[in-house]
Amino acid sequence: MKENAKIEVKNILTNYLELNRHRKTPERFMILDAVYSMDGHFTLEELDDKLDGEYNFPVSRATLYNTMKLFLELRLVIRHRFQSTTKYEACYYNNSHCHQICTMCGKVTEVKAPQLTETINGLRTKRFRKDGFTLYIYGICSTCQAKITRQATKARKNKIKRQEA
């Protein structure tokens, strides 16, 4: 499916550039390929590292920003503004989904919610065409919850030791 997506998004980009008489630069297509090779969410720094390292195709920061802006407009990429960072995600086959975000460590995980997707897809809207949705669920992940529990237990034990002394 990933290779099909790469072919389809490449065709979308090519058609857009031709229709609007923009140059079909190798940088745009290499960035698109790298985006659709990334797993999950990524920062621009991670994308830049992939282009520079794995692809051996360094691009300027301006080219990266401008190209990502174009991909956002074409809805080939979605931008998420999580707590303290901005991350991107290839979205051609994945327009609608949910994320759970830990408010302590910032870890982001995708959540499959078929009932929610079905409900939103069935939602009637007035004078509005739905293209997709993203839902953010904030809370504390199990790792951070365990850390909080350990700290609380340690604090209770220290308090008891001080009281006994």
Side-chain angles (χ1 to χ4, degrees), residues 38 42-53 61 64-65 68 85-88:
M38 301 288 281
F42 58 89
T43 63
L44 286 180
E45 291 75 24
E46 291 166 338
L47 179 59
D48 190 38
D49 290 346
K50 184 174 186 98
L51 287 163
D52 200 19
R61 190 60 105 178
L64 196 57
Y65 276 102
M68 291 302 286
T85 186
T86 299
K87 293 201 174 195
Y88 296 83

Side-chain angles (χ1 to χ4, degrees), residues 103-147:
T103 54
M104 291 194 64
C105 68
K107 180 180 177 186
V108 178
T109 319
E110 284 197 21
V111 178
K112 301 292 182 206
Q115 293 170 322
L116 183 60
T117 303
E118 190 178 306
T119 301
I120 291 175
N121 287 339
L123 183 68
R124 293 178 136 326
T125 53
K126 245 185 177 178
R127 301 174 58 146
F128 185 79
R129 180 182 60 101
K130 296 181 306 253
D131 288 334
F133 73 89
T134 302
L135 174 69
Y136 302 112
I137 303 168
Y138 295 94
I140 300 173
C141 71
S142 59
T143 304
C144 290
Q145 186 61 53
K147 193 182 297 182

Side-chain angles (χ1 to χ4, degrees), residues 6 9 13 25-38 42 44 47-48 50-52 55 57-71 76-77 90:
K6 281 185 181 183
V9 295
L13 179 60
T25 64
E27 289 83 2
R28 288 177 173 153
F29 289 97
M30 189 60 72
I31 292 169
L32 185 66
D33 187 68
V35 163
Y36 276 81
S37 296
M38 301 288 281
F42 58 89
L44 286 180
L47 179 59
D48 190 38
K50 184 174 186 98
L51 287 163
D52 200 19
Y55 284 74
F57 196 93
V59 296
S60 72
R61 190 60 105 178
T63 298
L64 196 57
Y65 276 102
N66 291 332
T67 303
M68 291 302 286
K69 183 178 176 196
L70 172 64
F71 294 170
L76 301 176
V77 170

Side-chain angles (χ1 to χ4, degrees), residues 95-108:
N95 264 350
S96 302
H97 57 285
C98 306
H99 299 92
Q100 58 187 26
I101 304 165
C102 179
T103 54
M104 291 194 64
C105 68
K107 180 180 177 186
V108 178

